Amino acid sequence: MAKLRILGIDPGSHHLGVAVIEKDGSKLSLLFADALHAPRGAKLYPRLSALQAALKKILSETKPQVAAVEGIFYAKSVRSAIDLGTARGMVIAECLGLGLEIHEYAPTSVKMVVAGHGRADKEQVKKMAQMILGTRLDHLTLDASDALAIAICHASSQFSRKLSELSQR
């Protein structure tokens, strides 16, 4: 089985969690994880422009082959939902521009796969991601560890699909 580089994205219009892992068989390795931060006090489009430029640089350096993005969830306000949707659109467009296949995962699905239950808090998810990767993640923000969990979720679901395909033969 060939190695696969998976991009995980936790979208946001102020903070964008980005992670890239490499899957080699059943082994997962952390290549990159960080949170990108938009300029404080900037309006939506200048924030997204800054986030897009930083994301583009990371994508060119890490060269992921597939993208996993957190799916839509209910935001606290209509304005927040619109801004989040616009940020997701920017991320998805950037990934599509590179020819990446896009997969979306609901936050509860990510938590279920990584932490074992859909109501896990962000710290629990971060601790489990650390255990799964065997790498210290103390330095990561929760946006970055959420992006990492999304990438791990995709790696895990891909593994589950392969097992299912093999069992049907």
Side-chain angles (χ1 to χ4, degrees), residues 34-82:
D34 202 358
L36 309 179
H37 305 286
R40 285 182 170 264
K43 294 195 181 284
L44 177 63
Y45 296 130
R47 289 195 318 261
L48 292 180
S49 180
L51 292 171
Q52 182 180 24
L55 177 62
K56 188 177 287 204
K57 183 176 186 288
I58 291 164
L59 296 178
S60 73
E61 292 170 357
T62 60
K63 302 193 181 341
Q65 296 160 289
V66 64
V69 180
E70 185 175 68
I72 295 172
F73 61 92
Y74 294 100
K76 294 176 185 147
S77 73
V78 173
R79 179 82 251 156
S80 294
I82 290 170

Side-chain angles (χ1 to χ4, degrees), residues 8-25:
I9 297 281
D10 180 30
S13 64
H14 291 277
H15 311 285
L16 182 71
V18 180
V20 179
I21 61 172
E22 188 166 76
K23 183 176 190 285
D24 187 2

Side-chain angles (χ1 to χ4, degrees), residues 62-110:
T62 60
K63 302 193 181 341
Q65 296 160 289
V66 64
V69 180
E70 185 175 68
I72 295 172
F73 61 92
Y74 294 100
K76 294 176 185 147
S77 73
V78 173
R79 179 82 251 156
S80 294
I82 290 170
D83 289 357
L84 180 60
T86 305
R88 287 182 80 251
M90 178 275 293
V91 166
I92 290 169
E94 192 63 38
C95 292
L96 289 173
L98 293 174
L100 300 181
E101 188 176 308
I102 312 279
H103 299 268
E104 293 186 49
Y105 297 94
T108 53
S109 298
V110 173

Side-chain angles (χ1 to χ4, degrees), residues 108-129:
T108 53
S109 298
V110 173
K111 292 174 183 182
M112 179 67 76
V113 168
V114 176
H117 60 94
R119 295 200 183 270
D121 67 31
K122 289 176 176 285
E123 286 293 340
Q124 289 172 305
V125 171
K126 183 176 181 177
K127 285 178 186 170
M128 290 305 296

